[in-house]
Amino acid sequence: MKRTLLGICVATSLFSPTLSSGQDKCQSVQGQAQFILIPAPNDPFGRIIGPSSGTLKAAITAIVTGLTQNPNGTIDATSTELWVMSPQDQILFNGQATFTPIAGQPIGTVSDRLRLTVSRGTGEFAGATGAIDVTGTGYNLFGPDAGPGKTYFQVNYTGSICRR
């Protein structure tokens, strides 16, 4: 009887989720997003808005906080991004991006590689940690057709968000 009870306890602990309130619950996330550059007179490096689909269905806005043109033609950027899933459920990210011109494409077409690291969250994302990798293509980032309403990005995201 004791062995049976011990076996049930061991099996239950192996196959049931941990109930510890201090343990992170990590979720893989993936999806797509579209960003468009908008007029932003108070954001000297620019601002984007756009929707995302997939695991994190959100309205997104990002403020570009820094730009560096590199000798090899790439552009490094930093950003602060807010993903709003609902009025209460939001994630604020710090972003590090590299834009690389794509040879043979129209001027201003770039490969976009962005790493978003969770800064903080609200609602169901309060205390969240994790990171998302965003990859895709930007159009009219620079050149004669660049600017608000003309510069846009088509991207995919994948990563992991952990909540307490």
Short mmCIF file of all heavy atoms in Angstrom, two decimals, residues 48-110:
data_model
loop_
_atom_site.label_atom_id
_atom_site.label_comp_id
_atom_site.label_asym_id
_atom_site.label_seq_id
_atom_site.Cartn_x
_atom_site.Cartn_y
_atom_site.Cartn_z
N ILE A 48 7.07 54.14 -35.56
CA ILE A 48 6.26 53.26 -36.39
C ILE A 48 5.02 52.84 -35.62
O ILE A 48 4.99 52.88 -34.38
CB ILE A 48 7.04 52.00 -36.87
CG1 ILE A 48 7.49 51.11 -35.70
CG2 ILE A 48 8.23 52.39 -37.71
CD1 ILE A 48 6.58 49.95 -35.46
N ILE A 49 4.01 52.43 -36.38
CA ILE A 49 2.83 51.78 -35.81
C ILE A 49 2.49 50.60 -36.70
O ILE A 49 2.92 50.53 -37.86
CB ILE A 49 1.61 52.72 -35.68
CG1 ILE A 49 1.15 53.21 -37.05
CG2 ILE A 49 1.89 53.86 -34.75
CD1 ILE A 49 -0.21 53.88 -37.04
N GLY A 50 1.71 49.68 -36.17
CA GLY A 50 1.25 48.57 -36.99
C GLY A 50 0.67 47.45 -36.16
O GLY A 50 0.81 47.41 -34.94
N PRO A 51 0.01 46.52 -36.85
CA PRO A 51 -0.59 45.38 -36.17
C PRO A 51 0.31 44.15 -36.21
O PRO A 51 1.19 44.03 -37.08
CB PRO A 51 -1.84 45.12 -37.02
CG PRO A 51 -1.38 45.46 -38.42
CD PRO A 51 -0.44 46.64 -38.23
N SER A 52 0.08 43.23 -35.28
CA SER A 52 0.71 41.92 -35.35
C SER A 52 -0.38 40.86 -35.28
O SER A 52 -1.45 41.09 -34.72
CB SER A 52 1.72 41.72 -34.21
OG SER A 52 1.05 41.62 -32.97
N SER A 53 -0.08 39.72 -35.85
CA SER A 53 -0.98 38.57 -35.77
C SER A 53 -0.17 37.41 -35.21
O SER A 53 1.01 37.54 -34.95
CB SER A 53 -1.54 38.24 -37.16
OG SER A 53 -0.49 37.93 -38.06
N GLY A 54 -0.82 36.29 -35.01
CA GLY A 54 -0.12 35.14 -34.45
C GLY A 54 -0.38 35.04 -32.96
O GLY A 54 -1.45 35.42 -32.48
N THR A 55 0.60 34.56 -32.23
CA THR A 55 0.45 34.35 -30.79
C THR A 55 0.16 35.66 -30.06
O THR A 55 -0.67 35.70 -29.16
CB THR A 55 1.73 33.72 -30.20
OG1 THR A 55 2.11 32.61 -31.01
CG2 THR A 55 1.50 33.25 -28.78
N LEU A 56 0.87 36.71 -30.42
CA LEU A 56 0.67 38.02 -29.80
C LEU A 56 -0.07 38.94 -30.78
O LEU A 56 0.53 39.57 -31.64
CB LEU A 56 2.02 38.66 -29.41
CG LEU A 56 2.86 37.90 -28.40
CD1 LEU A 56 4.22 38.57 -28.23
CD2 LEU A 56 2.14 37.79 -27.06
N LYS A 57 -1.39 38.96 -30.67
CA LYS A 57 -2.20 39.85 -31.51
C LYS A 57 -2.17 41.21 -30.82
O LYS A 57 -2.73 41.36 -29.75
CB LYS A 57 -3.61 39.31 -31.64
CG LYS A 57 -3.68 38.02 -32.42
CD LYS A 57 -5.07 37.42 -32.35
CE LYS A 57 -5.17 36.11 -33.06
NZ LYS A 57 -4.28 35.06 -32.59
N ALA A 58 -1.50 42.17 -31.47
CA ALA A 58 -1.26 43.43 -30.78
C ALA A 58 -1.32 44.62 -31.73
O ALA A 58 -1.14 44.48 -32.94
CB ALA A 58 0.13 43.40 -30.12
N ALA A 59 -1.56 45.77 -31.13
CA ALA A 59 -1.30 47.05 -31.78
C ALA A 59 0.09 47.45 -31.28
O ALA A 59 0.35 47.42 -30.07
CB ALA A 59 -2.34 48.08 -31.37
N ILE A 60 0.97 47.81 -32.20
CA ILE A 60 2.37 48.07 -31.86
C ILE A 60 2.74 49.49 -32.22
O ILE A 60 2.37 50.00 -33.27
CB ILE A 60 3.29 47.10 -32.62
CG1 ILE A 60 2.94 45.66 -32.28
CG2 ILE A 60 4.76 47.40 -32.32
CD1 ILE A 60 3.60 44.64 -33.20
N THR A 61 3.48 50.13 -31.33
CA THR A 61 4.13 51.38 -31.66
C THR A 61 5.57 51.30 -31.17
O THR A 61 5.85 50.66 -30.15
CB THR A 61 3.41 52.61 -31.07
OG1 THR A 61 4.02 53.80 -31.59
CG2 THR A 61 3.46 52.62 -29.55
N ALA A 62 6.46 51.90 -31.93
CA ALA A 62 7.88 51.90 -31.56
C ALA A 62 8.47 53.27 -31.83
O ALA A 62 8.19 53.89 -32.85
CB ALA A 62 8.64 50.84 -32.36
N ILE A 63 9.27 53.70 -30.90
CA ILE A 63 10.03 54.95 -31.05
C ILE A 63 11.48 54.57 -31.29
O ILE A 63 12.07 53.84 -30.49
CB ILE A 63 9.91 55.83 -29.79
CG1 ILE A 63 8.46 56.18 -29.51
CG2 ILE A 63 10.78 57.08 -29.93
CD1 ILE A 63 8.23 56.78 -28.14
N VAL A 64 12.04 55.06 -32.38
CA VAL A 64 13.47 54.84 -32.65
C VAL A 64 14.24 55.80 -31.75
O VAL A 64 14.03 57.01 -31.80
CB VAL A 64 13.80 55.05 -34.14
CG1 VAL A 64 15.28 54.82 -34.39
CG2 VAL A 64 12.96 54.12 -35.00
N THR A 65 15.11 55.26 -30.90
CA THR A 65 15.84 56.08 -29.93
C THR A 65 17.27 56.38 -30.34
O THR A 65 17.91 57.23 -29.74
CB THR A 65 15.83 55.40 -28.54
OG1 THR A 65 16.38 54.08 -28.66
CG2 THR A 65 14.41 55.31 -27.99
N GLY A 66 17.77 55.69 -31.35
CA GLY A 66 19.13 55.95 -31.82
C GLY A 66 19.39 55.30 -33.16
O GLY A 66 18.82 54.25 -33.47
N LEU A 67 20.21 55.95 -33.98
CA LEU A 67 20.60 55.43 -35.29
C LEU A 67 22.10 55.60 -35.47
O LEU A 67 22.66 56.64 -35.13
CB LEU A 67 19.90 56.20 -36.41
CG LEU A 67 18.42 55.98 -36.62
CD1 LEU A 67 17.87 56.98 -37.64
CD2 LEU A 67 18.17 54.56 -37.09
N THR A 68 22.74 54.58 -36.04
CA THR A 68 24.16 54.65 -36.36
C THR A 68 24.37 54.10 -37.76
O THR A 68 24.03 52.94 -38.03
CB THR A 68 25.00 53.82 -35.36
OG1 THR A 68 24.74 54.28 -34.04
CG2 THR A 68 26.48 53.92 -35.66
N GLN A 69 24.91 54.93 -38.65
CA GLN A 69 25.27 54.48 -40.00
C GLN A 69 26.66 53.88 -39.92
O GLN A 69 27.59 54.52 -39.44
CB GLN A 69 25.27 55.68 -40.97
CG GLN A 69 25.72 55.34 -42.37
CD GLN A 69 24.65 54.61 -43.17
OE1 GLN A 69 23.48 54.93 -43.07
NE2 GLN A 69 25.07 53.64 -43.95
N ASN A 70 26.81 52.63 -40.35
CA ASN A 70 28.09 51.94 -40.29
C ASN A 70 28.84 52.05 -41.62
O ASN A 70 28.19 52.18 -42.68
CB ASN A 70 27.87 50.46 -39.93
CG ASN A 70 27.23 50.31 -38.57
OD1 ASN A 70 27.69 50.89 -37.60
ND2 ASN A 70 26.16 49.54 -38.50
N PRO A 71 30.19 51.99 -41.61
CA PRO A 71 30.97 52.09 -42.85
C PRO A 71 30.62 51.03 -43.89
O PRO A 71 30.74 51.26 -45.08
CB PRO A 71 32.42 51.92 -42.38
CG PRO A 71 32.41 52.27 -40.93
CD PRO A 71 31.05 51.91 -40.43
N ASN A 72 30.13 49.86 -43.44
CA ASN A 72 29.79 48.79 -44.38
C ASN A 72 28.41 48.97 -45.01
O ASN A 72 27.94 48.11 -45.76
CB ASN A 72 29.89 47.43 -43.70
CG ASN A 72 28.86 47.23 -42.60
OD1 ASN A 72 28.05 48.11 -42.31
ND2 ASN A 72 28.90 46.07 -41.97
N GLY A 73 27.71 50.07 -44.71
CA GLY A 73 26.40 50.35 -45.30
C GLY A 73 25.22 49.92 -44.45
O GLY A 73 24.08 50.28 -44.75
N THR A 74 25.47 49.15 -43.39
CA THR A 74 24.36 48.77 -42.51
C THR A 74 24.00 49.93 -41.59
O THR A 74 24.79 50.85 -41.39
CB THR A 74 24.71 47.53 -41.65
OG1 THR A 74 25.80 47.85 -40.79
CG2 THR A 74 25.06 46.34 -42.54
N ILE A 75 22.82 49.87 -41.05
CA ILE A 75 22.35 50.87 -40.09
C ILE A 75 21.95 50.13 -38.82
O ILE A 75 21.16 49.17 -38.88
CB ILE A 75 21.15 51.65 -40.64
CG1 ILE A 75 21.53 52.39 -41.92
CG2 ILE A 75 20.61 52.62 -39.59
CD1 ILE A 75 20.33 52.97 -42.66
N ASP A 76 22.50 50.54 -37.67
CA ASP A 76 22.09 49.99 -36.38
C ASP A 76 21.11 50.96 -35.75
O ASP A 76 21.26 52.19 -35.87
CB ASP A 76 23.30 49.81 -35.46
CG ASP A 76 24.22 48.69 -35.92
OD1 ASP A 76 23.74 47.74 -36.56
OD2 ASP A 76 25.42 48.76 -35.62
N ALA A 77 20.09 50.42 -35.10
CA ALA A 77 19.08 51.26 -34.46
C ALA A 77 18.72 50.68 -33.10
O ALA A 77 18.79 49.46 -32.88
CB ALA A 77 17.83 51.34 -35.32
N THR A 78 18.36 51.57 -32.19
CA THR A 78 17.78 51.15 -30.92
C THR A 78 16.36 51.70 -30.87
O THR A 78 16.04 52.70 -31.52
CB THR A 78 18.60 51.68 -29.72
OG1 THR A 78 18.71 53.12 -29.84
CG2 THR A 78 19.98 51.06 -29.68
N SER A 79 15.52 51.01 -30.10
CA SER A 79 14.11 51.44 -30.04
C SER A 79 13.50 51.04 -28.71
O SER A 79 14.03 50.21 -27.98
CB SER A 79 13.31 50.79 -31.18
OG SER A 79 13.31 49.38 -31.05
N THR A 80 12.37 51.67 -28.44
CA THR A 80 11.48 51.27 -27.34
C THR A 80 10.16 50.93 -28.01
O THR A 80 9.62 51.75 -28.76
CB THR A 80 11.30 52.42 -26.34
OG1 THR A 80 12.58 52.75 -25.78
CG2 THR A 80 10.36 52.02 -25.22
N GLU A 81 9.66 49.70 -27.77
CA GLU A 81 8.46 49.24 -28.46
C GLU A 81 7.40 48.83 -27.46
O GLU A 81 7.68 48.13 -26.49
CB GLU A 81 8.79 48.05 -29.37
CG GLU A 81 9.85 48.40 -30.37
CD GLU A 81 9.81 47.55 -31.62
OE1 GLU A 81 8.87 46.75 -31.79
OE2 GLU A 81 10.74 47.68 -32.42
N LEU A 82 6.18 49.24 -27.72
CA LEU A 82 5.04 48.87 -26.89
C LEU A 82 4.10 48.02 -27.72
O LEU A 82 3.64 48.43 -28.78
CB LEU A 82 4.30 50.12 -26.38
CG LEU A 82 3.07 49.85 -25.52
CD1 LEU A 82 3.46 49.14 -24.22
CD2 LEU A 82 2.34 51.15 -25.24
N TRP A 83 3.83 46.80 -27.23
CA TRP A 83 2.87 45.89 -27.85
C TRP A 83 1.66 45.83 -26.93
O TRP A 83 1.76 45.44 -25.78
CB TRP A 83 3.47 44.50 -28.03
CG TRP A 83 4.57 44.42 -29.06
CD1 TRP A 83 5.57 45.31 -29.28
CD2 TRP A 83 4.78 43.36 -29.99
NE1 TRP A 83 6.39 44.88 -30.29
CE2 TRP A 83 5.93 43.67 -30.75
CE3 TRP A 83 4.11 42.16 -30.25
CZ2 TRP A 83 6.41 42.84 -31.75
CZ3 TRP A 83 4.60 41.33 -31.24
CH2 TRP A 83 5.72 41.68 -31.99
N VAL A 84 0.50 46.23 -27.45
CA VAL A 84 -0.73 46.30 -26.67
C VAL A 84 -1.67 45.20 -27.14
O VAL A 84 -2.21 45.27 -28.24
CB VAL A 84 -1.41 47.69 -26.80
CG1 VAL A 84 -2.70 47.74 -25.99
CG2 VAL A 84 -0.45 48.80 -26.40
N MET A 85 -1.83 44.16 -26.30
CA MET A 85 -2.74 43.07 -26.62
C MET A 85 -4.17 43.41 -26.19
O MET A 85 -5.13 42.96 -26.79
CB MET A 85 -2.29 41.76 -25.94
CG MET A 85 -1.18 41.00 -26.68
SD MET A 85 0.37 41.86 -26.96
CE MET A 85 1.06 41.95 -25.33
N SER A 86 -4.29 44.19 -25.11
CA SER A 86 -5.58 44.70 -24.62
C SER A 86 -5.24 45.91 -23.75
O SER A 86 -4.08 46.12 -23.43
CB SER A 86 -6.33 43.64 -23.81
OG SER A 86 -5.78 43.50 -22.52
N PRO A 87 -6.24 46.69 -23.34
CA PRO A 87 -5.92 47.85 -22.51
C PRO A 87 -5.13 47.50 -21.24
O PRO A 87 -4.31 48.28 -20.79
CB PRO A 87 -7.29 48.42 -22.15
CG PRO A 87 -8.16 48.02 -23.29
CD PRO A 87 -7.66 46.65 -23.70
N GLN A 88 -5.34 46.31 -20.70
CA GLN A 88 -4.63 45.92 -19.48
C GLN A 88 -3.36 45.12 -19.77
O GLN A 88 -2.46 45.09 -18.94
CB GLN A 88 -5.54 45.07 -18.58
CG GLN A 88 -6.74 45.80 -18.02
CD GLN A 88 -7.87 45.93 -19.04
OE1 GLN A 88 -8.03 45.11 -19.94
NE2 GLN A 88 -8.65 46.99 -18.91
N ASP A 89 -3.30 44.43 -20.89
CA ASP A 89 -2.21 43.50 -21.19
C ASP A 89 -1.25 44.09 -22.22
O ASP A 89 -1.58 44.12 -23.42
CB ASP A 89 -2.78 42.16 -21.68
CG ASP A 89 -3.75 41.55 -20.68
OD1 ASP A 89 -3.46 41.62 -19.47
OD2 ASP A 89 -4.77 40.99 -21.11
N GLN A 90 -0.10 44.54 -21.73
CA GLN A 90 0.87 45.22 -22.58
C GLN A 90 2.28 44.76 -22.25
O GLN A 90 2.56 44.37 -21.12
CB GLN A 90 0.79 46.73 -22.38
CG GLN A 90 -0.60 47.29 -22.61
CD GLN A 90 -0.70 48.76 -22.25
OE1 GLN A 90 0.30 49.46 -22.13
NE2 GLN A 90 -1.92 49.24 -22.09
N ILE A 91 3.15 44.81 -23.27
CA ILE A 91 4.57 44.51 -23.06
C ILE A 91 5.40 45.64 -23.64
O ILE A 91 5.19 46.05 -24.79
CB ILE A 91 5.00 43.20 -23.74
CG1 ILE A 91 4.15 42.02 -23.31
CG2 ILE A 91 6.48 42.91 -23.44
CD1 ILE A 91 4.44 40.73 -24.07
N LEU A 92 6.33 46.14 -22.85
CA LEU A 92 7.29 47.14 -23.30
C LEU A 92 8.62 46.43 -23.56
O LEU A 92 9.11 45.68 -22.71
CB LEU A 92 7.47 48.23 -22.24
CG LEU A 92 8.32 49.42 -22.65
CD1 LEU A 92 7.65 50.22 -23.76
CD2 LEU A 92 8.59 50.32 -21.45
N PHE A 93 9.18 46.65 -24.74
CA PHE A 93 10.43 46.02 -25.15
C PHE A 93 11.50 47.07 -25.40
O PHE A 93 11.20 48.19 -25.81
CB PHE A 93 10.27 45.28 -26.48
CG PHE A 93 9.37 44.09 -26.46
CD1 PHE A 93 8.04 44.20 -26.85
CD2 PHE A 93 9.84 42.84 -26.11
CE1 PHE A 93 7.20 43.09 -26.88
CE2 PHE A 93 9.02 41.72 -26.13
CZ PHE A 93 7.70 41.86 -26.52
N ASN A 94 12.77 46.68 -25.20
CA ASN A 94 13.92 47.44 -25.69
C ASN A 94 14.41 46.71 -26.93
O ASN A 94 14.56 45.49 -26.92
CB ASN A 94 15.03 47.49 -24.64
CG ASN A 94 14.63 48.33 -23.45
OD1 ASN A 94 14.00 49.36 -23.58
ND2 ASN A 94 14.97 47.87 -22.26
N GLY A 95 14.64 47.47 -28.00
CA GLY A 95 15.01 46.85 -29.27
C GLY A 95 16.41 47.22 -29.74
O GLY A 95 16.88 48.33 -29.50
N GLN A 96 17.06 46.26 -30.40
CA GLN A 96 18.35 46.44 -31.06
C GLN A 96 18.19 45.89 -32.47
O GLN A 96 17.96 44.69 -32.64
CB GLN A 96 19.46 45.66 -30.35
CG GLN A 96 19.76 46.13 -28.95
CD GLN A 96 20.72 47.31 -28.96
OE1 GLN A 96 21.52 47.47 -29.85
NE2 GLN A 96 20.61 48.14 -27.95
N ALA A 97 18.29 46.75 -33.49
CA ALA A 97 18.07 46.33 -34.87
C ALA A 97 19.29 46.61 -35.74
O ALA A 97 20.07 47.54 -35.47
CB ALA A 97 16.86 47.06 -35.46
N THR A 98 19.41 45.81 -36.79
CA THR A 98 20.38 46.07 -37.85
C THR A 98 19.64 45.98 -39.18
O THR A 98 18.94 45.00 -39.44
CB THR A 98 21.54 45.06 -37.83
OG1 THR A 98 22.23 45.18 -36.59
CG2 THR A 98 22.53 45.33 -38.97
N PHE A 99 19.78 47.03 -39.97
CA PHE A 99 19.18 47.08 -41.30
C PHE A 99 20.31 46.96 -42.32
O PHE A 99 21.25 47.76 -42.30
CB PHE A 99 18.42 48.39 -41.51
CG PHE A 99 17.39 48.66 -40.45
CD1 PHE A 99 17.55 49.69 -39.56
CD2 PHE A 99 16.26 47.86 -40.34
CE1 PHE A 99 16.60 49.95 -38.58
CE2 PHE A 99 15.31 48.09 -39.36
CZ PHE A 99 15.48 49.15 -38.48
N THR A 100 20.20 45.98 -43.22
CA THR A 100 21.23 45.73 -44.22
C THR A 100 20.63 45.90 -45.60
O THR A 100 19.66 45.21 -45.95
CB THR A 100 21.78 44.28 -44.07
OG1 THR A 100 22.24 44.10 -42.73
CG2 THR A 100 22.90 44.02 -45.05
N PRO A 101 21.18 46.83 -46.42
CA PRO A 101 20.67 47.00 -47.79
C PRO A 101 20.72 45.68 -48.56
O PRO A 101 21.67 44.91 -48.43
CB PRO A 101 21.62 48.04 -48.39
CG PRO A 101 22.14 48.79 -47.21
CD PRO A 101 22.26 47.78 -46.11
N ILE A 102 19.68 45.43 -49.35
CA ILE A 102 19.61 44.20 -50.13
C ILE A 102 20.04 44.52 -51.56
O ILE A 102 19.39 45.33 -52.25
CB ILE A 102 18.19 43.60 -50.11
CG1 ILE A 102 17.77 43.28 -48.67
CG2 ILE A 102 18.12 42.36 -51.00
CD1 ILE A 102 16.32 42.82 -48.54
N ALA A 103 21.12 43.88 -51.97
CA ALA A 103 21.67 44.11 -53.33
C ALA A 103 20.63 43.70 -54.38
O ALA A 103 19.90 42.72 -54.21
CB ALA A 103 22.95 43.30 -53.50
N GLY A 104 20.58 44.48 -55.46
CA GLY A 104 19.69 44.16 -56.57
C GLY A 104 18.25 44.58 -56.35
O GLY A 104 17.39 44.34 -57.20
N GLN A 105 17.94 45.19 -55.21
CA GLN A 105 16.59 45.66 -54.91
C GLN A 105 16.55 47.19 -55.01
O GLN A 105 17.59 47.85 -55.00
CB GLN A 105 16.19 45.24 -53.50
CG GLN A 105 16.08 43.73 -53.33
CD GLN A 105 14.95 43.15 -54.17
OE1 GLN A 105 13.83 43.64 -54.16
NE2 GLN A 105 15.27 42.11 -54.92
N PRO A 106 15.36 47.77 -55.09
CA PRO A 106 15.27 49.23 -55.15
C PRO A 106 15.96 49.89 -53.95
O PRO A 106 16.04 49.31 -52.87
CB PRO A 106 13.76 49.50 -55.12
CG PRO A 106 13.14 48.24 -55.65
CD PRO A 106 14.05 47.13 -55.19
N ILE A 107 16.44 51.11 -54.15
CA ILE A 107 17.11 51.86 -53.09
C ILE A 107 16.20 51.91 -51.85
O ILE A 107 15.00 52.16 -51.96
CB ILE A 107 17.42 53.31 -53.56
CG1 ILE A 107 18.47 53.27 -54.65
CG2 ILE A 107 17.87 54.19 -52.41
CD1 ILE A 107 18.74 54.61 -55.29
N GLY A 108 16.80 51.66 -50.69
CA GLY A 108 16.07 51.71 -49.43
C GLY A 108 15.45 50.39 -49.01
O GLY A 108 14.84 50.31 -47.94
N THR A 109 15.61 49.33 -49.81
CA THR A 109 15.10 48.01 -49.43
C THR A 109 16.16 47.34 -48.55
O THR A 109 17.31 47.23 -48.95
CB THR A 109 14.79 47.14 -50.66
OG1 THR A 109 13.87 47.83 -51.50
CG2 THR A 109 14.20 45.80 -50.24
N VAL A 110 15.75 46.94 -47.36
CA VAL A 110 16.72 46.40 -46.39
C VAL A 110 16.21 45.10 -45.77
O VAL A 110 15.01 44.86 -45.67
CB VAL A 110 17.00 47.41 -45.25
CG1 VAL A 110 17.65 48.67 -45.79
CG2 VAL A 110 15.73 47.74 -44.47
#
